[in-house]
Amino acid sequence: MTTPEEKLSLMKRNLQEIIGEDRLLTILKERDVKIYWGTATTGKPHVAYFVPMSKIADFLKAGCEVTILFADLHAFLDNMKAPWELLALRTEYYANVIKAMLRSIGVPLEKLKFVKGTDYQLSREYTLDVYRLSSVVTEHDAHKAGAEVVKQVDHPLLAGLLYPGLQALDEEYLKVDAQFGGVDQRKIFTFAEKCLPSLGYQKRIHLMNPMVPGLTGGKMSSSEEASKIDLLDSAAQVKKKLKLAFCEPGNVKDNGLLSFVKHVLFPLNIQHEFVVERKEENGGTLVFKNYEDLESSFAEEKLHPGDLKSAWRSR
């Protein structure tokens, strides 16, 4: 990576949207970009976490300074998905699992900074900024910002309304240029762009991954067992889930298996190929050198769902 344009190209790979791309290139022409990715320590991390992990690998290759935030306080605020008494242990579990995931794909941990939300979110300065923010944000805007991320219930708790504001403040307190997350975070990102300047802080750049469909066709979610493959699932459990996975012939839109190949397996594959082993009577082995050819083959029904599942499982 030598030119700012080359670094930008790698940072943009497989992203769905960037808010502030012009500012991103300006920074790259002067210095390396400081970026953070946060995860609320709620349920169990699953294989879809490899999607942001692969992008973090891209950011590091582009020379970025990357911070990973274990958002323990956010996990409590989101309808108490993580009870206060379990918060420390849940956060420790997340830290161990995510570090193991990063090591498994060759990401050097020494180039990353790991932070817990409660390391700074309980400070006097941060708390005062939460109060300052609450004086300029309406209940309507706070609720709208968290609609795609915070669990929605008939009688929402005040804690859930605080969630988007804290995530906005994290950008200032982590001293970053940009925040990275899924496109489901978009409303919080635009909320942050609006709110931070009202406190005298700069608005940040936002980079968004597409949401990878789960095994059932919808979002891969920790709360929906059939939609995801847990990192601790046995080989028998993985085989069973793949057998039941939604993989309609020719359908590339809601196909979680294809999306995972695109956003994880190809970017991290040193050989840059995806091999589908088949018997000669079934057409013989297929070798795809890029994702586009794989998708086209599946869309044209030259690649059978059963063969895709078999190849996916062997990875």
Side-chain angles (χ1 to χ4, degrees), residues 68-87:
I68 292 181
L69 171 67
F70 298 113
D72 48 354
L73 192 55
H74 284 81
F76 176 73
L77 292 175
D78 187 1
N79 230 48
M80 293 187 290
K81 286 182 180 177
W84 190 261
E85 58 272 17
L86 293 181
L87 213 52

Side-chain angles (χ1 to χ4, degrees), residues 64-135:
C64 298
E65 297 178 25
V66 181
T67 297
I68 292 181
L69 171 67
F70 298 113
D72 48 354
L73 192 55
H74 284 81
F76 176 73
L77 292 175
D78 187 1
N79 230 48
M80 293 187 290
K81 286 182 180 177
W84 190 261
E85 58 272 17
L86 293 181
L87 213 52
L89 290 174
R90 184 74 61 82
T91 302
E92 184 179 354
Y93 173 74
Y94 260 70
N96 289 331
V97 168
I98 286 176
K99 287 178 182 179
M101 293 175 73
L102 289 165
R103 288 192 199 98
S104 75
I105 60 175
V107 174
L109 298 189
E110 62 272 13
K111 291 188 176 181
L112 293 166
K113 181 180 179 182
F114 296 93
V115 179
K116 287 192 303 181
T118 49
D119 287 343
Y120 64 90
Q121 290 168 345
L122 301 178
S123 69
R124 179 179 182 275
E125 293 77 14
Y126 190 95
T127 302
L128 287 174
D129 270 344
V130 171
Y131 289 139
R132 291 175 64 206
L133 196 60
S134 68
S135 71

Side-chain angles (χ1 to χ4, degrees), residues 2-289:
T2 53
T3 70
E5 288 76 17
E6 287 174 330
K7 291 181 178 180
L8 179 62
S9 178
L10 182 56
M11 292 180 69
K12 289 172 58 178
R13 180 170 67 167
N14 287 336
L15 291 181
Q16 181 167 325
E17 184 180 0
I18 299 177
I19 302 177
E21 184 175 335
D22 54 338
R23 285 178 279 146
L24 187 59
L25 184 57
T26 298
I27 294 171
L28 284 168
K29 289 179 179 179
E30 299 174 356
R31 57 172 173 81
D32 292 330
V33 174
K34 298 177 181 179
I35 186 169
Y36 100 88
W37 172 74
T39 179
T41 52
T42 51
K44 296 178 182 177
H46 45 74
V47 294
Y49 276 63
F50 274 112
V51 176
M53 298 300 106
S54 68
K55 276 312 301 176
I56 287 170
D58 282 347
F59 295 148
L60 289 174
K61 289 175 185 175
C64 298
E65 297 178 25
V66 181
T67 297
I68 292 181
L69 171 67
F70 298 113
D72 48 354
L73 192 55
H74 284 81
F76 176 73
L77 292 175
D78 187 1
N79 230 48
M80 293 187 290
K81 286 182 180 177
W84 190 261
E85 58 272 17
L86 293 181
L87 213 52
L89 290 174
R90 184 74 61 82
T91 302
E92 184 179 354
Y93 173 74
Y94 260 70
N96 289 331
V97 168
I98 286 176
K99 287 178 182 179
M101 293 175 73
L102 289 165
R103 288 192 199 98
S104 75
I105 60 175
V107 174
L109 298 189
E110 62 272 13
K111 291 188 176 181
L112 293 166
K113 181 180 179 182
F114 296 93
V115 179
K116 287 192 303 181
T118 49
D119 287 343
Y120 64 90
Q121 290 168 345
L122 301 178
S123 69
R124 179 179 182 275
E125 293 77 14
Y126 190 95
T127 302
L128 287 174
D129 270 344
V130 171
Y131 289 139
R132 291 175 64 206
L133 196 60
S134 68
S135 71
V136 296
V137 173
T138 66
E139 180 274 338
H140 173 270
D141 287 350
H143 184 269
K144 179 181 177 182
E148 301 295 325
V149 178
V150 179
K151 185 177 180 180
Q152 300 300 295
V153 294
D154 291 335
H155 303 287
L157 298 173
L158 177 60
L161 299 176
L162 293 175
Y163 189 112
L166 268 64
Q167 188 167 335
L169 288 174
D170 289 342
E171 297 179 346
E172 173 64 24
Y173 279 79
L174 291 172
K175 302 301 179 186
V176 295
D177 304 304
Q179 182 179 174
F180 164 61
V183 73
D184 60 337
Q185 304 267 339
R186 194 182 194 284
K187 290 180 180 178
I188 290 182
F189 290 167
T190 55
F191 172 85
E193 292 210 351
K194 175 183 177 182
C195 292
L196 286 185
S198 69
L199 299 184
Y201 299 138
Q202 281 188 327
K203 64 180 180 180
R204 266 57 177 194
I205 300 159
H206 296 99
L207 303 94
M208 286 164 270
N209 254 350
M211 300 307 295
V212 174
L215 299 181
T216 55
K219 178 182 177 182
M220 191 175 289
S221 169
S222 296
S223 61
E224 187 182 346
E225 188 63 30
S227 76
K228 62 187 174 72
I229 293 176
D230 279 326
L231 297 172
L232 301 180
D233 277 349
S234 66
Q237 288 173 308
V238 172
K239 185 176 181 180
K240 180 180 179 180
K241 288 182 178 181
L242 287 177
K243 184 178 180 180
L244 298 173
F246 176 79
C247 194
E248 184 180 51
N251 185 345
V252 299
K253 182 179 180 183
D254 300 311
N255 194 315
L257 302 182
L258 281 176
S259 292
F260 192 81
V261 174
K262 177 180 180 179
H263 293 283
V264 179
L265 297 184
F266 263 113
L268 297 175
N269 190 345
I270 297 175
Q271 286 77 33
H272 298 294
E273 62 181 30
F274 185 78
V275 180
V276 180
E277 295 183 356
R278 303 188 300 189
K279 294 180 180 179
E280 286 300 323
E281 58 264 33
N282 293 328
T285 296
L286 296 171
V287 179
F288 297 98
K289 295 293 186 180

